[in-house]
Structure formats: structure tokens, C-alpha cells
């Protein structure tokens, strides 16, 4: 099940953006996340949905 939940650092690497940008996406509700205790996690399906929203698929072909 841990593969279904991503850390902020993993999302940063996949999107190639800063920590600030990931938290901004979470804050503006463009990227869904959950809190487990004090740990923020992003469901893999939420990241896939965000990539579809911006015109990219999770496979990495960047909408082409």
C-alpha cells in the first residue's frame, strides 16, 4: 500500500518542482493530499489526476 501514497519529496522529483510549489498545489486544492499523523502524503491517483488536468499523462509522453 505504501506505493499508493507518495511523499512530498517524491512528488517534487516526479514533477521536477520545488517543495514550495507542491505545497502551493496542495493549498489551492489542485493536488489532493492526506495527513497521516503529522506526515503529508499524496495518493498516486491524485498525482495522476493532476497530470491529466494539466494535459500530461502519468506515462510521461507529455500530452503528445
Amino acid at each position: 500500500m505504501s506505493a499508493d501514497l507518495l511523499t512530498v519529496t517524491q512528488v517534487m522529483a516526479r514533477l521536477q518542482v520545488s517543495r514550495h510549489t507542491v505545497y502551493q498545489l496542495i493549498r489551492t486544492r489542485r493536488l489532493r493530499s492526506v495527513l497521516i499523523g503529522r506526515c503529508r502524503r499524496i495518493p498516486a491517483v491524485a498525482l495522476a489526476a493532476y497530470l491529466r488536468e494539466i494535459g500530461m499523462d502519468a506515462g510521461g509522453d507529455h500530452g503528445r
Side-chain angles (χ1 to χ4, degrees), residues 5-46:
L5 294 174
L6 305 169
T7 65
V8 170
T9 302
Q10 290 171 319
V11 173
M12 288 169 51
R14 291 186 187 194
L15 296 179
Q16 298 179 339
V17 297
S18 69
R19 179 177 303 274
H20 173 80
T21 299
V22 174
Y23 278 109
Q24 184 176 8
L25 290 170
I26 292 169
R27 222 177 3 264
T28 59
R29 298 181 186 234
R30 294 186 67 199
L31 183 61
R32 189 171 58 88
S33 70
V34 295
L35 273 177
I36 301 173
R38 293 178 52 187
C39 299
R40 175 79 54 188
R41 295 293 183 260
I42 296 90
V45 295

Side-chain angles (χ1 to χ4, degrees), residues 44-58:
V45 295
L47 179 58
Y50 173 72
L51 291 174
R52 279 192 305 276
E53 175 190 319
I54 64 171
M56 299 175 70
D57 70 358

